[in-house]
Amino acid sequence: MSKEKSCCCSASSCCSTESITPYDKNDKWVTGVIHTLKGSVPVVSTNLHFKDMLGAWKVRWGIGRMNYKINPGLYAIGKPDHTSPVLVSANYKLTFDVLRKELSGLDCWILILDTKGINVWCAAGKGTFGTDEIVSRISKTGLSEIVSHRKLVLPQLGAPGVSAHEVTKQTGFTVIYGPVRAKDIKAFLDSGFKATEEMRTVKFTMWDRLVLTPMELVAAAKSSLMVFGVMFLLNLFAARPFGLADFIAYSGAVVTGTVITPLLLPVIPGSAFAWKGWLLGLIWTLGFTWYSGWFVPGFSLLDIGYLLVLPSLSAFLAMNFTGSSTYTSFSGVIKEMKIAVPLIAISLVVGLVLLLINSIWV
């Protein structure tokens, strides 16, 4: 790791060597430090190493997700000075990596907020990417004495959590909202902080949705272990034990809610995620029960039970995806939950009772 030091202080000023931002010296993405009037600032690489990519893959699958974060504070890219732009972002390591990867060749500062390891979009909704944290972080890093200008470039997706005029009122810094995607930040800076309509457009492509589904699937799989345990116990004294067909029916409903519904989100009729999941879950259940030959006399309780349970399960899992989507608002999610959750609960309870009756007594 290169530890070449540079200094952005003027010839007449003395630089402090105390670190503004604590960091792990074993992190390969820290390539050195730069000294400022307020202290030393870690300089970070714009190249991603294998460990960075492995970490990104792991959190996509929900492994160590809540601890994948860096220390909040001030970081440097290149050799920034007092005139260099200040970009603001979250302390979720995945977000930080996506941003720094796009900053090669630039000299700038990155002010990282303490968003508790949450990405910008979600943190803005939760209030951790917000006015108070920006004001506090400017004060803690001494940013006002490191740069001579008074401009902060924030990601556009952070806007819901920030009161720009309050930031200016309390710190003197003007908030400028940058592009939605990090890959556009260079063009945005080169154009003098002007964003095109394309830069302002929030997209949520099939690929964007696909990379988010493993975490939903893993979470559902963990919860399903308890369901499989209950099935195993019931099989000890069941008249009709649960078998492979039941396992496939259940797993199909889980995949429908966690993967298929998010992928097909824009083309499924309706606006509520729970409805979209229920609709695809119903199609899956009807198709599977028909293919399994359960649409015959003697399977009525099983048919009705699964038609109540499986679409509801898909609906609940699809509703969870609202937290990952840019299609919804916080108030919209609350409204949807107030309507959908009671209906899902009733349908699940009635359906499970019918399945238990069918398994034990029929």
Side-chain angles (χ1 to χ4, degrees):
M1 178 172 66
S2 170
K3 290 295 181 184
E4 181 183 354
K5 297 181 179 180
S6 57
C7 181
C8 66
C9 302
S10 64
S12 59
S13 301
C14 296
C15 292
S16 171
T17 57
E18 185 178 352
S19 179
I20 293 176
T21 306
Y23 65 96
D24 186 343
K25 294 183 178 179
N26 293 319
D27 284 331
K28 291 185 177 180
W29 49 270
V30 177
T31 59
V33 295
I34 186 169
H35 298 291
T36 73
L37 289 172
K38 298 300 293 182
S40 62
V41 176
V43 179
V44 299
S45 170
T46 56
N47 297 319
L48 300 187
H49 296 90
F50 173 75
K51 188 177 180 181
D52 300 317
M53 292 183 278
L54 178 62
W57 181 86
K58 288 169 66 177
V59 296
R60 291 295 192 196
W61 287 90
I63 303 171
R65 166 65 185 82
M66 298 313 296
N67 291 316
Y68 201 57
K69 56 189 176 183
I70 63 172
N71 289 321
L74 190 65
Y75 295 86
I77 293 285
K79 296 179 180 179
D81 59 21
H82 64 98
T83 65
S84 299
V86 180
L87 311 179
V88 182
S89 190
N91 76 326
Y92 181 32
K93 176 70 163 41
L94 189 61
T95 300
F96 179 68
D97 286 348
V98 170
L99 175 60
R100 67 185 173 91
K101 183 171 69 72
E102 301 295 339
L103 302 178
S104 62
L106 293 180
D107 298 318
C108 61
W109 304 99
I110 306 178
L111 184 67
I112 294 297
L113 306 186
D114 184 5
T115 60
K116 315 302 180 188
I118 304 297
N119 65 59
V120 171
W121 168 253
C122 294
K126 293 177 181 294
T128 50
F129 191 99
T131 305
D132 292 343
E133 171 59 15
I134 293 174
V135 172
S136 171
R137 200 54 54 187
I138 290 173
S139 174
K140 288 178 179 177
T141 58
L143 183 64
S144 302
E145 299 179 51
I146 296 175
V147 297
S148 56
H149 63 80
R150 291 295 179 264
K151 294 177 182 176
L152 300 174
V153 178
L154 273 64
Q156 182 179 307
L157 291 181
V162 179
S163 176
H165 74 278
E166 275 297 325
V167 173
T168 303
K169 180 181 177 182
Q170 296 185 46
T171 68
F173 279 87
T174 300
V175 171
I176 301 170
Y177 289 109
V180 172
R181 294 167 294 277
K183 70 180 183 65
D184 292 325
I185 194 68
K186 275 187 179 178
F188 176 77
L189 295 177
D190 289 342
S191 66
F193 305 121
K194 293 180 180 177
T196 64
E197 185 175 344
E198 173 72 11
M199 292 179 186
R200 293 286 186 218
T201 302
V202 178
K203 298 178 180 177
F204 198 40
T205 65
M206 180 176 283
W207 174 254
D208 294 334
R209 300 192 296 275
L210 178 63
V211 298
L212 296 174
T213 57
M215 190 167 175
E216 303 290 330
L217 184 60
V218 169
K222 289 179 179 177
S223 301
S224 297
L225 293 177
M226 187 172 65
V227 176
F228 297 149
V230 172
M231 285 182 170
F232 174 78
L233 293 176
L234 288 173
N235 279 357
L236 297 178
F237 49 87
R240 179 205 172 270
F242 292 99
L244 179 61
D246 303 282
F247 173 78
I248 295 174
Y250 175 86
S251 300
V254 170
V255 172
T256 298
T258 57
V259 179
I260 306 300
T261 302
L263 287 182
L264 301 180
L265 210 54
V267 299
I268 305 173
S271 57
F273 282 39
W275 160 255
K276 291 171 182 281
W278 184 88
L279 188 59
L280 290 197
L282 178 65
I283 294 172
W284 159 254
T285 307
L286 286 172
F288 186 80
T289 52
W290 172 81
Y291 179 80
S292 301
W294 292 349
F295 278 143
V296 294
F299 286 86
S300 298
L301 281 181
L302 187 67
D303 289 338
I304 298 173
Y306 272 143
L307 284 170
L308 289 171
V309 169
L310 298 183
S312 298
L313 175 62
S314 298
F316 180 77
L317 295 173
M319 190 169 60
N320 278 343
F321 198 72
T322 54
S324 304
S325 170
T326 56
Y327 290 172
T328 58
S329 64
F330 181 72
S331 59
V333 171
I334 296 298
K335 182 181 178 181
E336 178 176 340
M337 289 180 65
K338 284 182 178 178
I339 298 172
V341 169
L343 295 175
I344 289 173
I346 293 171
S347 182
L348 280 173
V349 169
V350 175
L352 286 173
V353 169
L354 294 178
L355 290 176
L356 287 174
I357 293 173
N358 180 77
S359 175
I360 298 175
W361 286 290
V362 176

